[in-house]
Amino acid sequence: MESSNTEKIFYSPSPRSYAVIRLNPVEMVRPFDDAQALLQAQAMRPKSYLVYLQLERALPWPDQPWYRFEVEPIATTLRPEDKARGITSDMCIPIFPNTDHPTGRESVRPEPEGLFPYDNCYHWFHPKLVDVRIRARPEEFDETNAVAISVRTRIRTLMRLLDEDDVKAFENRQNLRPAEFAEIRRPQINRGNVPRPLDAAQEQLEDSEVSSISSEATTWKDGASNHSLDNLAAMDIFSGPNDDVDLVPLVDLWISELGDHLKQEDIPDPQEMYAEFDQITKWVVVDYQRERI
């Protein structure tokens, strides 16, 4: 694999990047000063998971203890079927260099080309997205060899293919329903199901390389952000949705040299990540209940 020669150090990870995360249960429960919860957390053996950083939930600032992100777990299998939702096993997108798909569907190509170290990975259609708090690092995040999806690829490949699955899932659900529900209106597809001209702002986004909202640290000092507009629209730019902050899993993250932190044969099923997060959240809820007694 060819590495970048330009060092890239950011205080907050970059959205649209692939990363390895691991739950830090001890630090998550430590603020409660609960001996029982701490013992339970110490007994946990969290796994490392491959994820895609969908969205940063609030404007990041230096010296924060953590940064809140919405993440998508990456899988090494086809999508599990869910007939009630119209989901079939082929509703997934291979991540290049993986080209294996039942219908020969094209792969999404991360950039820089050749740095994604796994050849068996997929984006699932409608996975369960979860919020995490990514612990800050004193040395900040080295993204010199980070792998991401460009805005152009996100719009023209990833979202277009997911739109195709939206339509198929709707049609599959319709086939399961009685005739009287046949008049239900088809969903509006607004992310590129069919090729169409892009407006000037979107073209400008495609032609620029959008990195972290905190990219190169000096960006914000200069008063200019090159963060994706759709990400900005979805976040609470001043504080983020942090009323539930203690329930949001606290994780450590690695964003460069992914293969050094998680071997291909060790990539877990997304269900294992959900189970870990559910467990730690239940312990935190119990801590809340103890505090009120």
Side-chain angles (χ1 to χ4, degrees), residues 7 180 251:
E7 190 176 67
E180 59 264 29
V251 304

Side-chain angles (χ1 to χ4, degrees), residues 58-72:
L59 291 181
W61 303 101
D63 302 321
Q64 292 180 215
W66 46 261
Y67 298 95
R68 183 167 178 164
F69 276 78
E70 179 184 74
V71 303
E72 170 196 346

Side-chain angles (χ1 to χ4, degrees), residues 28-289:
M28 185 170 173
V29 304
R30 192 184 299 280
F32 291 97
D33 196 23
D34 185 313
Q36 181 177 343
L38 186 58
L39 285 174
Q40 291 174 317
Q42 290 171 338
M44 284 189 76
R45 294 294 179 263
K47 292 185 176 182
S48 296
Y49 297 94
L50 182 63
V51 299
Y52 175 68
L53 304 180
Q54 285 270 8
L55 171 70
E56 188 154 19
R57 286 297 196 179
L59 291 181
W61 303 101
D63 302 321
Q64 292 180 215
W66 46 261
Y67 298 95
R68 183 167 178 164
F69 276 78
E70 179 184 74
V71 303
E72 170 196 346
I74 298 300
T76 59
T77 63
L78 301 180
R79 179 72 163 89
E81 292 190 356
D82 185 343
K83 290 185 178 180
R85 298 170 63 196
I87 295 175
T88 56
S89 62
D90 62 342
M91 292 181 180
C92 56
I93 303 169
I95 304 170
F96 194 82
N98 183 15
T99 58
D100 187 21
H101 190 272
T103 67
R105 168 176 269 184
E106 66 181 293
S107 303
V108 65
R109 290 178 174 262
E111 297 177 9
E113 187 173 350
L115 283 188
F116 190 74
Y118 312 112
D119 63 9
N120 63 342
C121 291
Y122 297 89
H123 284 273
W124 281 353
F125 169 69
H126 276 200
K128 178 183 176 183
L129 304 178
V130 295
D131 275 19
V132 297
R133 289 177 293 151
I134 297 171
R135 297 178 71 214
R137 292 174 172 269
E139 71 276 20
E140 301 186 334
F141 295 92
D142 182 356
E143 298 192 8
T144 304
N145 291 314
V147 186
I149 292 180
S150 69
V151 173
R152 180 183 297 273
T153 298
R154 179 176 172 83
I155 293 171
R156 295 192 172 179
T157 303
L158 188 60
M159 288 188 168
R160 172 176 57 82
L161 294 174
L162 292 175
D163 283 343
E164 292 177 3
D165 288 340
D166 265 327
V167 173
K168 292 176 185 176
F170 176 83
E171 292 172 347
N172 291 342
R173 291 195 302 272
Q174 289 297 91
N175 291 334
L176 293 175
R177 294 175 177 176
E180 59 264 29
F181 292 103
E183 296 301 317
I184 296 178
R185 185 169 62 89
R186 292 171 64 88
Q188 293 295 316
I189 305 301
N190 58 8
R191 296 183 310 221
N193 181 49
V194 294
R196 64 184 186 278
L198 300 174
D199 60 35
Q202 204 167 51
E203 285 285 8
Q204 185 177 3
L205 277 174
E206 286 192 358
D207 292 336
S208 64
E209 194 55 43
V210 181
S211 61
S212 171
I213 198 166
S214 60
S215 60
E216 289 156 345
T218 58
T219 301
W220 286 107
K221 294 178 183 178
D222 295 338
S225 166
N226 61 354
H227 190 61
S228 160
L229 295 181
D230 59 338
N231 283 357
L232 285 172
M235 62 170 67
D236 179 338
I237 63 171
F238 296 108
S239 62
N242 289 327
D243 291 343
D244 61 344
V245 61
D246 290 328
L247 299 176
V248 178
L250 185 67
V251 304
D252 294 304
L253 174 142
W254 298 267
I255 200 166
S256 279
E257 313 293 353
L258 301 180
D260 291 346
H261 303 287
L262 180 61
K263 302 300 182 185
Q264 176 166 298
E265 59 270 20
D266 295 330
I267 300 173
D269 186 279
Q271 297 299 330
E272 296 183 61
M273 187 186 81
Y274 300 145
E276 278 190 13
F277 288 1
D278 286 346
Q279 182 62 71
I280 194 71
T281 300
K282 288 176 183 176
W283 290 343
V284 172
V285 170
V286 169
D287 284 335
Y288 273 133
Q289 293 171 341

